[in-house]
Amino acid sequence: MKAANCVICVEESKVCACASEANAKATSSFTHSVINMVGMLIGLGQLSAPYALENGGWSSALLLIGFGIMCAYTAHIIGRCLDDDGGGSKSYQDIGEQAFGSKGRIVASAFIYLEIFFALVSYTISLSDNLPLVLAGVHAHAPWLHLSTAQLLTATAVLVALPTLWLRDMSSISFLSLGGILMSLLMFATVAWVAAFGGVEGSHEIPALRVEMLPRISGLYMFSFAGHIVFPNIYTAMKDPSKFTKVSIASFAIVTLLYTALAFMGALLFGPAVRSQITLSMPPRLGATKVALWATVLTPMTKYALEFAPFATQLERRLPPSMSSRARRLLSGGVGSALLLLILALALVVPYFEDVLSLTGSLISVAISIIFPCAFYLRIYWARSSRASVAFHVGLIVFGAAIAGMGTVSSSQALIRSIRRGH
C-alpha cells in the first residue's frame, strides 16, 4: 500500500479511503506482528502435544513439524494474495472473493466463523477442566441454577474476560497476545521443572509409531497451527507489510520448536498416563503444578479478543455507512458478547476437550490453513504459475483433503463415544 495509490474502494462499506490514511492506521512493528502471530498460534496445541505424541508415537513428531512448515508456507502465500490485490483485500474473506467471487467469500466466511466458534469452545473447555484445580476447595452454589461449582467458576471467568472483545486496535491486542505467550512459556518452564526436580519417574518409552492413531492426532497437531484467519489482519496492521513472510517464518519456527520440545518432554515424563492436557497430569502437590494451572486458566482469557478480531472487523464493515463508529462498536461488541455466552453454554454441555479439539483441527483448521490458501493462490496466480508450482499446490490440496477426511471421521466417532459414555 503506497501513498501514491490515493484511492482504495472498499465495496462492502461503499467507502473510499486514501492509502495514506490506511497507512496511518498501520501501527504494528515487526516485533508487534511476531507477538500477535505467535500469540495467535500458541496455546491449546502445547497442552495436547504430549498426549498426541504419546498416542501417535515419537515418529509422529515429523507430522507435527511438517504441518508447521506447510502452514508457514501457506501464511506466506496469503501475504502474496494480499500483495496481488494492491491493498484492496483486507481480510481472509476478501481473498476468497478475490479468487472465487461471492461464492469464495461465502465459503471462507462459513469456515472462519466455525473455526472461531469451535476454537473458543475448546479454550473454554480447557478453562473448565483446569479452573477447579486452581481453586481447589472453593465451593460455589446458585440455587436458581443447576450448575456445578466447576461450571459456575467457568462462567464467572468467561464473564471477566468478556470486556476484551471490545478491543479493536491490533497494537492494543498485542499486549493480550504477549500475555498469552508469557503464560505458554511459563507452562513450558513448569513442565521442564517437574521433569528435572519434581520427583517424577520420567523414563517412559514412547512407541515408534501407531498408524491407527494418526488420523485422530493429526487434528490435534493441525489445530496447533491454526491462525490463518487472523493473518490478513496482522498483515494490514503492519507498518511494513513486505516483512510479513519473515514474520511468518519467525513465528512458526518459534511455535514449532516449542510444541515439539514440550511434546517429547511430556510424553517421556508421564508415558501412557499423560492426559489430553499436560497440566492435568502434573503432580498436584507441587508448586510448579499450581503455576502451570494458573497459566492454563489465564491463557484462554487472553485469546478471546484476538480470535474475535476478524469477526468484529467484518461485521463492522457490513454495517450501514450512516452508522457512527460508536454505534458500530457497540453492535459488534454486543453480538460478540452474545456469541461468547453461547460458546460458554456449549462448552459446559460437551466438555470433551481432546475430541472437540481433534474434530476442529481436522474438519476446519486443515481447510483454512492448507486447502483454502493453496486454492486461492492457484486461482489468483494461475496465469503466472509454472507447471511445477501448480503441481505443488495441487499436491498440498490433495494431502490436506486426505488428512481432513480421515481425521474428521476418526474424531467424530471418538466424540460420539464420549457423549454416549457421558450419558
Side-chain angles (χ1 to χ4, degrees):
M1 294 181 292
K2 298 181 180 179
N5 300 328
C6 66
V7 179
I8 297 172
C9 293
V10 182
E11 182 180 352
E12 292 174 351
S13 58
K14 305 299 181 185
V15 175
C16 294
C18 287
S20 58
E21 293 176 0
N23 279 334
K25 297 179 181 179
T27 57
S28 293
S29 65
F30 178 89
T31 302
H32 266 147
S33 301
V34 171
I35 289 172
N36 280 332
M37 189 172 287
V38 172
M40 184 67 236
L41 294 171
I42 206 167
L44 292 181
Q46 71 172 356
L47 292 179
S48 61
Y51 173 85
L53 185 72
E54 204 286 328
N55 280 271
W58 63 263
S59 58
S60 71
L62 296 175
L63 184 62
L64 173 64
I65 295 170
F67 279 153
I69 294 171
M70 280 187 282
C71 289
Y73 175 74
T74 54
H76 158 71
I77 62 177
I78 282 177
R80 291 285 308 278
C81 292
L82 291 167
D83 285 337
D84 185 75
D85 200 28
S89 294
K90 302 292 185 183
S91 67
Y92 195 95
Q93 295 101 313
D94 289 343
I95 300 173
E97 184 170 17
Q98 179 188 350
F100 295 103
S102 59
K103 292 181 180 178
R105 171 172 288 277
I106 291 171
V107 172
S109 298
F111 273 80
I112 282 173
Y113 299 145
L114 283 172
E115 182 175 58
I116 291 173
F117 188 83
F118 284 105
L120 292 179
V121 168
S122 299
Y123 275 115
T124 309
I125 294 173
S126 174
L127 181 66
S128 179
D129 288 341
N130 288 275
L131 192 57
L133 299 178
V134 168
L135 301 176
V138 174
H139 298 283
H141 176 66
W144 61 91
L145 294 174
H146 299 288
L147 297 177
S148 66
T149 295
Q151 290 173 325
L152 285 171
L153 291 174
T154 303
T156 302
V158 169
L159 291 175
V160 169
L162 192 146
T164 63
L165 300 185
W166 297 72
L167 293 175
R168 290 293 175 271
D169 180 67
M170 293 299 288
S171 293
S172 299
I173 293 174
S174 71
F175 289 104
L176 286 176
S177 300
L178 180 59
I181 293 171
L182 293 176
M183 293 301 102
S184 297
L185 292 176
L186 194 57
M187 280 187 273
F188 180 87
T190 53
V191 173
W193 191 94
V194 170
F197 309 109
V200 178
E201 295 285 339
S203 57
H204 295 282
E205 183 177 347
I206 305 172
L209 183 65
R210 289 176 175 160
V211 177
E212 71 279 6
M213 291 297 294
L214 289 181
R216 187 179 178 194
I217 67 165
S218 65
L220 296 176
Y221 282 155
M222 192 62 233
F223 184 87
S224 301
F225 301 109
H228 290 60
I229 61 174
V230 175
F231 293 170
N233 298 68
I234 294 174
Y235 175 96
T236 55
M238 289 182 67
K239 293 178 183 177
D240 185 2
S242 67
K243 295 181 179 179
F244 181 76
T245 295
K246 292 181 180 179
V247 168
S248 301
I249 293 172
S251 301
F252 276 94
I254 292 169
V255 172
T256 302
L257 180 62
L258 181 65
Y259 282 155
T260 305
L262 188 60
F264 275 100
M265 193 185 305
L268 287 170
L269 195 60
F270 300 110
V274 69
R275 297 178 65 180
S276 59
Q277 299 176 67
I278 185 66
T279 50
L280 303 180
S281 301
M282 296 171 68
R285 69 183 187 279
L286 298 176
T289 299
K290 292 180 173 58
V291 172
L293 288 170
W294 269 111
T296 305
V297 165
L298 292 174
T299 296
M301 300 176 74
T302 68
K303 294 290 184 179
Y304 292 129
L306 197 57
E307 287 276 4
F308 264 112
F311 169 80
T313 299
Q314 288 302 309
L315 178 59
E316 289 183 17
R317 290 175 62 186
R318 286 185 172 276
L319 294 175
S322 57
M323 288 186 67
S324 67
S325 60
R326 179 181 176 84
R328 290 168 183 268
R329 181 165 294 188
L330 286 173
L331 183 57
S332 64
V335 172
S337 300
L339 285 175
L340 186 55
L341 295 179
L342 177 60
I343 286 165
L344 170 64
L346 185 58
L348 297 180
V349 172
V350 189
Y352 308 112
F353 177 81
E354 68 271 25
D355 298 328
V356 173
L357 196 69
S358 180
L359 179 60
T360 304
S362 298
L363 179 63
I364 304 169
S365 300
V366 173
I368 284 183
S369 301
I370 296 179
I371 297 174
F372 289 174
C374 291
F376 295 161
Y377 180 84
L378 275 178
R379 180 75 170 185
I380 293 169
Y381 282 92
W382 181 267
R384 293 165 279 175
S385 297
S386 65
R387 291 183 179 180
S389 176
V390 171
F392 174 72
H393 290 96
V394 169
L396 284 179
I397 291 172
V398 172
F399 173 78
I403 290 291
M406 292 186 293
T408 298
V409 171
S410 178
S411 54
S412 296
Q413 292 172 341
L415 180 58
I416 291 171
R417 288 193 296 269
S418 295
I419 293 173
R420 287 176 176 172
R421 285 197 300 267
H423 290 293

